C-alpha cells in the first residue's frame, strides 16, 4: 500500500481515512457490494413505493397526496411526513444534481463496546426522472473525461452506478412541477446500499425525525430486523436487533474546488481517477489530494503577505457525550493546528466548537458538520478520516473518533516511556491535567488525518539524536519530532539529568506539519488549473533537499530504517535505544512502588509489566531495521532515492542486538514482580520477544536485500555472510567454542527460535506463500532457486549441526546434552524437508 494512502476504486474519491494501527484503523471503510434488496414488502421499487390506497393509474392530484395532515419542511427538496409515511417533493433543478449520501448508526443493539463503531453507508447519488417514475442511482468516479469530447458518450455511461430505488410519481406540484414520491420503504425496509439493518421489518420500524435545509435533507429512523452481533462466527443465528440510523443527503458544491495534484514528496491522503481527455496516447491515472476549501477573504491583503481570515473556516464540533472535564482539552487539540495554517496565509482557519445539545434539527451526523465523536468503547484507540467531493478532493465532512479507553493506552505509554522524566507520572492514576494534555495530543494527531494528512514516520528521524536531549533545541524546534503525524510518542531518549521540561516530552505540531499545510492549503491565486500550480508546488517541495526534517516517507521504500513507527531519535537508533533502555530500567525499578496497591489485585502490575516487555521489543526492532536497510529521500528527477546503510552501522547494530537482545534482560526477571503476577509465563514471554526479533532479521526481504546490495554496491558493504557470522556468534557462540558447556533455558529457547526462523525461510508453509503472494513485490521472497539465501542457510545449518555434535561431550548437564541432540535432529529435518 502506498504510504500516502492513495485510495483505489470509485469509493476512494469519496472517503479518505488516515490509517493508524494504534490511533486509527489502518484500512479505509468500504462500500457494500450492490445486491438485490429484500425485505418485508419487497425492495424499494414501484410496488413497495406506492402508498396504501393509491391508484395504479399514474399521478394523482397534489392535494390528494400532500394532505393537510402533512408536516412539511422546506429545503433542498420538500419533505412531507404523514403519519408513518415520508414523501420527498423533488424539484426539476434537483434531478441530476449529485448528492453525498451518508448513513450512520446513531444507537444500536449491535454496537460492540469492545469493538469499533462503524456500519452504515456513504456514496454519491443522484435523483433521475424517467417519465412518471423517479430513480435514485449511485454515481461512479473511477473514470472522467471532458463532456465535450467524443469519448464522453462512453465515460458517462460507465459512471452510472447501481440503482438504489425506483419510485412511482405520486403527484406533481402544480406550482413548479416538482415530483412527489413516497420514500417510506427506502428507509423502513431493507436496502443494503442505504446502510439498512439486515432484514429490516417495516412493521417494527418508524421515523424519528426529518429536517430539511437549503442544501441537504436529514432523515432519522429506527429500524428493527434480524442480524448477528458483531464479531460472532457465521454459525451464530441472527436475532432481533434494533438500530437508529441517520441519513444525510447533501448537494455537492455547485462549483467544484480546483483539485491540487498529489506529490509523493509531501504526504497527503489522495483520491484518483483515470482521465480519458488528456492530449496523450493513453489514459493517465490522476491523483489529487484531500483538503478543506480555504479561500482568502481579502485577496489583496493575502497577496501582500498578510494573514487573512478564510471565507469559510474549518469547524470541528465536539460531541456533547465527551466528558465535561476533557472538552477544553479536545478543543485545544483542534485549535493547535492554527499555527500551521498561518504558514498557508490564514489566521483563525480552524477551531473546535461545542456542539449544541438541545436543537432537534442539529445533528452530529449531518454531512455538513465535521465532528469529533466520543465513543463508549473499551478499545484503546482513536481514528481520523474524511468524506470528500470526488470531483475535487474537497473535504466535506471531517471526522475523528475518540474511543474512551484511549486514555488507558496513553497512561501506559507515558508511564513506560517517560515517567522517569516527569514526576507527575511517577504515581498512578495520572493527574487530570496530564491526562488532558495527552488526550489533546491524540486529538491533534487525528485532526491531522481528518484534514488530509497520512502518517509520516520519516521526518522525525531527521533530528540529530543528541539534539532531542537539548532543551535549547527542543524549545527552538517545538519538540522532539518534526511532525505530529509520526508515531514517535514521547521523548524516551532524554535522560533525567537533561532536565527537559515535561511540556517538551509530548509531540506538538512541528515544522513538517507547517510545511505540509502550506504546501497543500496555500492558494496559488494566479494559477487557473492544477497543472498551472505545478511549478510553484515543485519549488516548495524542493526545500526538502536543504531542510531534511521537511521530508516525507518514500512511498515504495520497504526497508528505510528512518521510516519506522514508535521511534524517537532514529537518526542514530543504536545510541537512542541504549538511552531508552536506561529509562526502561528505571521504570522497572519503580514498578512495584507504583503498581502494588493494598486492597487491589495485581492486574495493573501485570499490565504494566507486559507493556514494558513490549516496549523493549519495539526498541530492539528499531535497531534491527538498520540491517539490510536503505536510507531514502523521495525525489523528482534530481538524483538517487535509495542509499544502502553503511557497513559499519549495520555491524554496530547487529552487535548491539547480540549484547542487548540475545542476552536475557535481567530487569524482566525480577522475582518480586513475577511471583505476584503469574505462576508461569516469564520464560515464554522472553522467548516470544526474541523469536519475533529473529524472524524480523531472517525475513526474506531483509536477507535478499543484503545479497542484492552486495552485488550493486562498490566498495565495502555488509553482506549476508557477515550477518550470519555475527548472528552465529551471538546465538551459538558457546556451542561452537570450547570448554564446559551449560545452556540455560533462555539460551536454549533462543537457539530453537533461530532454527524456527531458518526453517520458515527454507520451508515456508503454503499459508506463508499465499500471504506473501498478496504483498507488494518488494516483500515477496524470490523463486526457490533465485537467491543465494537458501544455499547459505543450508550451509549454516550443516556447520551448526557439526558444532552441536562436537559440543555434546562438553555438556555440563542433562538438559544441555539433550538439547544439543535435539538441535541436530531438527537440523536434519529442516535440511531433508528443503
Amino acid at each position: 500500500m502506498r504510504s500516502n494512502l492513495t485510495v483505489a476504486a470509485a469509493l476512494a474519491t469519496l472517503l479518505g481515512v488516515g490509517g493508524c494501527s494504534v490511533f486509527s484503523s489502518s484500512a479505509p471503510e468500504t462500500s457494500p457490494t450492490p445486491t438485490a434488496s429484500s425485505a418485508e414488502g419487497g425492495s424499494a421499487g414501484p410496488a413497495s413505493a406506492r402508498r396504501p390506497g393509491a391508484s395504479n393509474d399514474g399521478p394523482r392530484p397534489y392535494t390528494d397526496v400532500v394532505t393537510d395532515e402533512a408536516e412539511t419542511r422546506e429545503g433542498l427538496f420538500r419533505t412531507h411526513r404523514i403519519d408513518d409515511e415520508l414523501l420527498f417533493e423533488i424539484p426539476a433543478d434537483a434531478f441530476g444534481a449529485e448528492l453525498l449520501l451518508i448513513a450512520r448508526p446513531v444507537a444500536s443493539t449491535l454496537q460492540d463496546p469492545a469493538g469499533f463503531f462503524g456500519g452504515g453507508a456513504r456514496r454519491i447519488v443522484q435523483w433521475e426522472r424517467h417519465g412518471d417514475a423517479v430513480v435514485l442511482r449511485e454515481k461512479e468516479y473511477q473514470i472522467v473525461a471532458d463532456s465535450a469530447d467524443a469519448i464522453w458518450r462512453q465515460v458517462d455511461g460507465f459512471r452510472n452506478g447501481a440503482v438504489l430505488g425506483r419510485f412511482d410519481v405520486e403527484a406533481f406540484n402544480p406550482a413548479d412541477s416538482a415530483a412527489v414520491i413516497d420514500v417510506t420503504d427506502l428507509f423502513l425496509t431493507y436496502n443494503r446500499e442505504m446502510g439498512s439493518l439486515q432484514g429490516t421489518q417495516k412493521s417494527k420500524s418508524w421515523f424519528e425525525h426529518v429536517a430539511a435545509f437549503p442544501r441537504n435533507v436529514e432523515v432519522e429512523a429506527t429500524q428493527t430486523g434480524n442480524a448477528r452481533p458483531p464479531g460472532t462466527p457465521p454459525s451464530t443465528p441472527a436475532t432481533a436487533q434494533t438500530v437508529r440510523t441517520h441519513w444525510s443527503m447533501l448537494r455537492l458544491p455547485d462549483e467544484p474546488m480546483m483539485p491540487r495534484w498529489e506529490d509523493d514528496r509531501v504526504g497527503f491522503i489522495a483520491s484518483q481517477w483515470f482521465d480519458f481527455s488528456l492530449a496523450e496516447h493513453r489514459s493517465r491515472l490522476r491523483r489529487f489530494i484531500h483538503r478543506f476549501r480555504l479561500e482568502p477573504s481579502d485577496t489583496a491583503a493575502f497577496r501582500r503577505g498578510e494573514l487573512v481570515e478564510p471565507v469559510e473556516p474549518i469547524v470541528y464540533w465536539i460531541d456533547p457525550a465527551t466528558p465535561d472535564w476533557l472538552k477544553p482539552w479536545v478543543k485545544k487539540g483542534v485549535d493547535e493546528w492554527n499555527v500551521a495554517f498561518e504558514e498557508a496565509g490564514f489566521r483563525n482557519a480552524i477551531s473546535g466548537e461545542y456542539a449544541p445539545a438541545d436543537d432537534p434539527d442539529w445533528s452530529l451526523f449531518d454531512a455538513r458538520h465535521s465532528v469529533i465523536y466520543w465513543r463508549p468503547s473499551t478499545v484503546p484507540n482513536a481514528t481520523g478520516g474524511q468524506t470528500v467531493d470526488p470531483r475535487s478532493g474537497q473535504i466535506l465532512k471531517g471526522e475523528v473518533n475518540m474511543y474512551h479507553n484511549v486514555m488507558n493506552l496513553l497512561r501506559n505509554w507515558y508511564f513506560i516511556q517517560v515517567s522517569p522524566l516527569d514526576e507527575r507520572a511517577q504515581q498512578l492514576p495520572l493527574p487530570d491535567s496530564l491526562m488532558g494534555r495527552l488526550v489533546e495530543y491524540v486529538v491533534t494527531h487525528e485532526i491531522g488525518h481528518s484534514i488530509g494528512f497520512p502518517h509520516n514516520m520519516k521526518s522525525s528521524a531527521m533530528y540529530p539524536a543528541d539534539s532531542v536531549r537539548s532543551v535549547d533545541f527542543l524549545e527552538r524546534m517545538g519538540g522532539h519530532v518534526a511532525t505530529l503525524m509520526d508515531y514517535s510518542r514521547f521523548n524516551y531518549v532524554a535522560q533525567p539529568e537533561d532536565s527537559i521540561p515535561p511540556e517538551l516530552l509530548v509531540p506538538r505540531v512541528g515544522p513538517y506539519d507547517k510545511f505540509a499545510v502550506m504546501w497543500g492549503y496555500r492558494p496559488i491565486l494566479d494559477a487557473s488549473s492544477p497543472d498551472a500550480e505545478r511549478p510553484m508546488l515543485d519549488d516548495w517541495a524542493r526545500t526538502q533537499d536543504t531542510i531534511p526534517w521537511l521530508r516525507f516517507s518514500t512511498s515504495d521504500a520497504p526497508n528505510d530504517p528512518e521510516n519506522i513507527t514508535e521511534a524517537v531519535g532514529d537518526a542514530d537508533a543504536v545510541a537512542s535505544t541504549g538511552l531508552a533502555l536506561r529509562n526502561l530500567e528505571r521504570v522497572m525499578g519503580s514498578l512495584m512502588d507504583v503498581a502494588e496497591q493494598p486492597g487491589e489485585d495485581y492486574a495493573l502490575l501485570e499490565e504494566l509489566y507486559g507493556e514494558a516487555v513490549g516496549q523493549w521489543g519495539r526498541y530492539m526492532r528499531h535497531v534491527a531495521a538498520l540491517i539490510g536497510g536503505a536510507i531514502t529521500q523521495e525525489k523528482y528527477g534530481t538524483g538517487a532515492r535509495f542509499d544502502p546503510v553503511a557497513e559499519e552501522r549495520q555491524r554496530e547494530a547487529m552487535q548491539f542486538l547480540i549484547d542487548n537482545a540475545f542476552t536475557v534482560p535481567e530487569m524482566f526477571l525480577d522475582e518480586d514482580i513475577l511471583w505476584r503476577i503469574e505462576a508461569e509465563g516469564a520464560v515464554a514471554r522472553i522467548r516470544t520477544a526474541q523469536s519475533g526479533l529473529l524472524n524480523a532479521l531472517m525475513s526474506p526481504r531483509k536477507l535478499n536485500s543484503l545479497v542484492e546490495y552486495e552485488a550493486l554496491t562498490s566498495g565495502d558493504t555488509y553482506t549476508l555472510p557477515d550477518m550470519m557470522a555475527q548472528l552465529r556468534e551471538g546465538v551459538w557462540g558457546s556451542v561452537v567454542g570450547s570448554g564446559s558447556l551449560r545452556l540455560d533455558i533462555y539460551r536454549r529457547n533462543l537457539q530453537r527460535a533461530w532454527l524456527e526462523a531458518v526453517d520458515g525461510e527454507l520451508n515456508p508453509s503454503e499459508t506463508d506463500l499465499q500471504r506473501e503472494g498478496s504483498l507488494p513485490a518488494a516483500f515477496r521472497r524470490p523463486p526457490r532457486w533465485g537467491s543465494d539465501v537458501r544455499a547459505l542457510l543450508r550451509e549454516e545449518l550443516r556447520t551448526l549441526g557439526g558444532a552441536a555434535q562436537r559440543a555434546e561431550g562438553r555438556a555440563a548437564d542433562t538438559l544441555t546434552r539433550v538439547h544439543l541432540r535435539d538441535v541436530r535432529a531438527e537440523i536434519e529435518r529442516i535440511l531433508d524437508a528443503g
Side-chain angles (χ1 to χ4, degrees), residues 710-779:
E710 180 183 8
L712 298 178
T713 304
S714 58
D716 293 336
T717 185
Y718 191 70
T719 67
L720 182 58
D722 291 337
M723 172 186 163
M724 296 311 300
Q726 267 192 286
L727 200 55
R728 183 195 316 133
E729 177 62 27
V731 176
W732 300 92
S734 57
V735 174
V736 299
S738 59
S740 180
L741 179 62
R742 186 185 300 272
L743 301 175
D744 63 22
I745 181 60
Y746 302 104
R747 180 59 53 166
R748 298 196 299 270
N749 277 343
L750 177 65
Q751 292 171 356
R752 293 182 185 113
W754 186 95
L755 291 171
E756 288 175 2
V758 172
D759 188 25
E761 172 61 19
L762 293 178
N763 307 305
S765 67
E766 287 299 319
T767 301
D768 290 337
L769 292 174
Q770 290 174 3
R771 184 180 66 251
E772 289 175 12
S774 65
L775 296 175
F779 289 88

Side-chain angles (χ1 to χ4, degrees), residues 241-284:
Q241 305 289 345
T242 297
V243 176
R244 181 167 173 163
T245 300
H246 186 103
W247 290 268
S248 185
M249 196 172 286
L250 172 69
R251 184 166 182 160
L252 297 183
D254 296 330
E255 291 294 330
M257 178 183 73
M258 186 173 74
R260 179 162 290 183
W261 299 136
E262 180 204 41
D263 187 316
D264 287 341
R265 293 169 292 182
V266 187
F268 267 86
I269 300 170
S271 293
Q272 64 186 33
W273 61 41
F274 283 95
D275 192 337
F276 284 85
S277 287
L278 298 177
E280 300 181 21
H281 295 169
R282 60 169 183 163
S283 65
R284 181 195 289 183

Side-chain angles (χ1 to χ4, degrees), residues 254-473:
D254 296 330
E255 291 294 330
M257 178 183 73
M258 186 173 74
R260 179 162 290 183
W261 299 136
E262 180 204 41
D263 187 316
D264 287 341
R265 293 169 292 182
V266 187
F268 267 86
I269 300 170
S271 293
Q272 64 186 33
W273 61 41
F274 283 95
D275 192 337
F276 284 85
S277 287
L278 298 177
E280 300 181 21
H281 295 169
R282 60 169 183 163
S283 65
R284 181 195 289 183
L285 182 67
R286 307 276 257 178
R287 299 194 301 269
F288 50 95
I289 67 172
H290 294 182
R291 56 182 178 149
F292 279 95
R293 189 173 198 156
L294 286 186
E295 299 169 332
S297 57
D298 185 338
T299 55
F302 185 85
R303 288 182 182 275
R304 293 193 299 269
E306 300 174 16
L307 294 179
V308 301
E309 303 269 354
V311 173
E312 185 176 350
I314 303 167
V315 176
Y316 276 82
W317 296 96
I318 299 169
D319 193 339
T322 305
D324 290 336
W325 69 275
L326 278 173
K327 288 177 181 176
W329 295 102
V330 173
K331 176 174 170 53
K332 288 177 65 178
V334 182
D335 296 347
E336 188 173 341
W337 278 100
N338 274 307
V339 67
F341 280 100
E342 289 178 1
E343 297 294 318
F346 296 101
R347 67 171 182 268
N348 302 323
I350 187 171
S351 66
E353 304 293 341
Y354 302 127
D358 52 2
D359 182 347
D361 286 343
W362 199 99
S363 173
L364 292 171
F365 303 96
D366 188 318
R368 298 171 299 167
H369 300 151
S370 294
V371 175
I372 302 171
Y373 301 99
W374 195 272
R375 303 297 197 180
S377 172
T378 59
V379 171
N381 213 321
T383 66
Q386 70 275 155
T387 303
V388 304
D389 183 340
R391 306 168 301 175
S392 65
Q394 177 184 347
I395 298 173
L396 303 174
K397 180 181 177 67
E399 296 183 335
V400 167
N401 289 288
M402 295 293 294
Y403 299 96
H404 191 80
N405 268 22
V406 74
M407 290 187 285
N408 188 74
L409 183 67
L410 289 167
R411 178 204 67 186
N412 291 347
W413 278 343
Y414 198 79
F415 174 78
I416 295 297
Q417 294 178 14
V418 295
S419 62
L421 312 177
D422 186 350
E423 63 180 12
R424 297 174 301 171
Q426 291 168 9
Q427 58 183 358
L428 297 178
L430 300 179
D432 284 353
S433 59
L434 175 54
M435 180 55 69
R437 173 67 187 95
L438 300 181
V439 168
E440 175 196 336
Y441 154 59
V442 175
V443 169
T444 311
H445 176 96
E446 299 304 338
I447 288 290
H449 286 315
S450 191
I451 62 177
F453 300 121
H455 290 128
N456 178 10
M457 311 301 182
K458 178 71 176 181
S459 67
S460 63
M462 298 296 99
Y463 286 171
D466 57 352
S467 294
V468 300
R469 298 181 61 188
S470 165
V471 175
D472 289 343
F473 179 87

Side-chain angles (χ1 to χ4, degrees), residues 538-785:
D538 178 70
D539 187 57
W540 290 345
R542 289 178 187 270
T543 59
Q544 297 172 339
D545 293 338
T546 55
I547 307 177
W549 47 83
L550 301 185
R551 294 173 187 167
F552 179 65
S553 303
T554 304
S555 60
D556 56 345
N559 60 334
D560 186 346
E562 294 179 346
N563 184 42
I564 52 179
T565 184
E566 312 289 345
V568 176
D570 41 328
D572 187 343
V574 171
S576 296
T577 299
L579 292 166
L581 291 177
R582 294 185 194 176
N583 277 330
L584 193 58
E585 288 177 0
R586 296 180 180 111
V587 170
M588 291 303 299
S590 70
L591 208 55
M592 284 289 296
D593 292 337
V594 170
E596 186 172 51
Q597 301 173 0
E600 299 290 338
D601 62 22
Y602 285 104
L604 177 61
L605 180 63
E606 182 176 6
E607 181 178 358
L608 294 178
Y609 178 84
E611 289 285 336
V613 174
Q615 189 69 32
W616 175 82
R618 282 188 285 273
Y619 291 156
M620 296 306 163
R621 288 193 292 275
H622 298 162
V623 176
L626 288 164
I627 299 166
I631 307 300
T632 71
Q633 181 191 346
E634 187 61 81
K635 296 181 180 180
Y636 275 19
T638 58
R641 300 164 61 230
F642 305 96
D643 182 20
V645 176
E647 176 189 10
E648 60 272 18
R649 291 191 68 192
Q650 296 193 59
R651 195 176 297 279
E652 178 191 30
M654 181 59 78
Q655 191 58 52
F656 182 92
L657 295 176
I658 290 170
D659 295 339
N660 294 277
F662 298 145
T663 56
V664 181
E666 294 293 333
M667 60 180 159
F668 296 133
L669 302 181
D670 187 335
E671 293 184 11
D672 285 342
I673 295 175
L674 294 176
W675 292 128
R676 281 170 167 79
I677 64 174
E678 59 193 5
E680 58 182 7
V683 172
R685 189 179 288 108
I686 299 298
R687 183 191 190 284
T688 298
Q690 292 180 331
S691 178
L693 184 61
L694 280 168
N695 285 329
L697 289 171
M698 297 280 202
S699 69
R701 193 270 308 157
K702 189 179 291 291
L703 298 178
N704 285 285
S705 291
L706 289 170
V707 174
E708 181 166 348
Y709 293 166
E710 180 183 8
L712 298 178
T713 304
S714 58
D716 293 336
T717 185
Y718 191 70
T719 67
L720 182 58
D722 291 337
M723 172 186 163
M724 296 311 300
Q726 267 192 286
L727 200 55
R728 183 195 316 133
E729 177 62 27
V731 176
W732 300 92
S734 57
V735 174
V736 299
S738 59
S740 180
L741 179 62
R742 186 185 300 272
L743 301 175
D744 63 22
I745 181 60
Y746 302 104
R747 180 59 53 166
R748 298 196 299 270
N749 277 343
L750 177 65
Q751 292 171 356
R752 293 182 185 113
W754 186 95
L755 291 171
E756 288 175 2
V758 172
D759 188 25
E761 172 61 19
L762 293 178
N763 307 305
S765 67
E766 287 299 319
T767 301
D768 290 337
L769 292 174
Q770 290 174 3
R771 184 180 66 251
E772 289 175 12
S774 65
L775 296 175
F779 289 88
R780 300 175 196 162
R781 71 182 72 229
R784 185 173 178 81
W785 294 100

Side-chain angles (χ1 to χ4, degrees), residues 83-295:
D83 298 325
D84 293 330
E85 298 172 359
L86 177 62
L87 308 177
F88 281 177
E89 184 175 325
I90 304 176
D93 63 359
F95 288 112
E98 292 173 315
L99 311 171
L100 168 63
L101 171 67
I102 300 179
R104 283 292 182 80
V106 176
S108 174
T109 58
L110 284 171
Q111 293 291 7
D112 179 6
F116 292 103
F117 287 69
R122 64 180 96 193
R123 47 188 20 96
I124 301 298
V125 299
Q126 69 181 27
W127 296 100
E128 300 174 359
R129 169 90 180 275
H130 297 277
D132 286 346
V134 171
V135 166
L136 181 64
R137 184 196 292 269
E138 185 174 4
K139 297 295 291 184
E140 301 286 356
Y141 270 89
Q142 288 179 291
I143 57 177
V144 299
D146 191 315
S147 60
D149 290 350
I151 200 171
W152 173 253
R153 288 172 167 270
Q154 290 287 338
V155 169
D156 185 42
F158 279 103
R159 288 179 58 195
N160 287 324
V163 171
L164 277 63
R166 183 179 182 276
F167 313 88
D168 289 323
V169 175
E170 302 286 345
F172 291 103
N173 189 321
D176 58 5
S177 299
V180 180
I181 58 175
D182 185 342
V183 294
T184 304
D185 286 358
L186 187 66
F187 299 101
L188 299 189
T189 64
Y190 177 56
N191 187 315
R192 185 181 181 187
E193 286 69 36
M194 290 292 293
S196 301
L197 177 65
Q198 182 79 30
T200 299
Q201 301 171 38
K202 187 175 180 181
S203 62
K204 298 179 182 178
S205 306
W206 62 88
F207 290 104
E208 298 279 1
H209 188 71
V210 179
F213 303 93
R215 297 193 66 86
N216 61 301
V217 169
E218 309 295 312
V219 177
E220 201 160 292
T222 291
Q223 298 179 331
T224 298
N226 294 300
R228 290 186 295 103
T232 56
S235 58
T236 303
T239 57
Q241 305 289 345
T242 297
V243 176
R244 181 167 173 163
T245 300
H246 186 103
W247 290 268
S248 185
M249 196 172 286
L250 172 69
R251 184 166 182 160
L252 297 183
D254 296 330
E255 291 294 330
M257 178 183 73
M258 186 173 74
R260 179 162 290 183
W261 299 136
E262 180 204 41
D263 187 316
D264 287 341
R265 293 169 292 182
V266 187
F268 267 86
I269 300 170
S271 293
Q272 64 186 33
W273 61 41
F274 283 95
D275 192 337
F276 284 85
S277 287
L278 298 177
E280 300 181 21
H281 295 169
R282 60 169 183 163
S283 65
R284 181 195 289 183
L285 182 67
R286 307 276 257 178
R287 299 194 301 269
F288 50 95
I289 67 172
H290 294 182
R291 56 182 178 149
F292 279 95
R293 189 173 198 156
L294 286 186
E295 299 169 332

